[in-house]
Amino acid sequence: MNTVLELRSLTKQYPDQRAVDGISLAIERGEFFSLLGPSGCGKTTTLRLVAGFEEPTEGDILLNGHSVVALPPFRRNVGTVFQNYALFPHLTVFENVAFGLRRRRPNETVDQIRQKVDRALALMQLRGKEKRRPSEISGGEKQRVALARSLVLEPQVLLLDEPLSALDPKLRKQMRIELKELQRRVGITFLFITHDEEEALSLSDRMAVMNKGVIEQVGTPREVYSTPTTRFVAEFLGGVNWLNGVGIRPEAVRMSRTKPRDDDRRSIEGVVNGSTFLGHCVHVHATLASGIPCVVEIDDRMTSFSPGEAIHVWWHPADELPITGTRQ
Ligand SMILES: Nc1ncnc2c1ncn2[C@@H]1O[C@H](COP(=O)(O)OP(=O)(O)O)[C@@H](O)[C@H]1O
Ligand SMILES: [Mg+2]
């Protein structure tokens, strides 16, 4: 294994709160790694610890096997893209990208700096916008300037704190694809933070799901989605029905008007409350015999169900999620 960034029992205790509670992670070189979790779970604090803007209360951070906790941010060789981009409003696009180079590489010539900035701007498709100020470019372009400004310093690890959250939904999806392509091209390790499950699932090589300062599960998006080990992970990623105590995804539940005959299936009776059209599918909401709520994902081209109808829901035991963890 070729670990570039390692967190060991990393903890940050604020006076009234333990924002990060002993997390350990090993991130591989060239990986697109996401930290996914709800607002307030400690994602930004973790990132600020890695960047060096905060000091850990306990634990260690290793870059290429060497502890960096004693180093100031500019000596750590990690770049940060902040949630609000933090561009300098009075500087041009070119000057925003050149700023860090001038400060951190005082020995580079004007020509060397110009070449590097040009290359970063070309990479981010910002050629022709060099002379504009942040107020004169679009949200997507601001995003690219923020990326160019970090990439020009050739960091070993790029930390990205919800970089797509300020964009409108359409642009967000487009930038998602661009971000993934960019990461492949530059080959830099990305530590990407998000509260958006779709972003984490679609972008990551591996991801960690965080809750209340701890990491609940680490794995590939497929592993974490199909085999969540805690209730929290199952519910945060994709939603889940708790039927007879077992977790079943809405897409793994089937429903019919008659009782299924196959003994391999487990079934429960219920009543339809209503349904939600989601474009690619429909979610039928039902209440089952013992008062359990249940969401069933169905194809809109199939039978429709009306509120008040009596139904049977059923599933295959093989689709029951393997929840083994005790955390909630
Ligand atoms: N400087 C700080 N002082 C005290 N508490 C903080 C500070 N920064 C963050 N917190 C608290 O730590 C928790 C985690 O915050 P944060 O890391 O920003 O979460 P996230 O980025 O996942 O939304 C929150 O409850 C937040 O209020
Ligand atoms: Mg945050």
Side-chain angles (χ1 to χ4, degrees), residues 14-17 19 37-46 54 161-162:
Y14 287 119
D16 58 346
Q17 189 165 5
S39 175
C41 74
K43 304 181 296 295
T44 296
T45 305
T46 304
E54 297 278 356
D161 192 355
E162 313 225 14

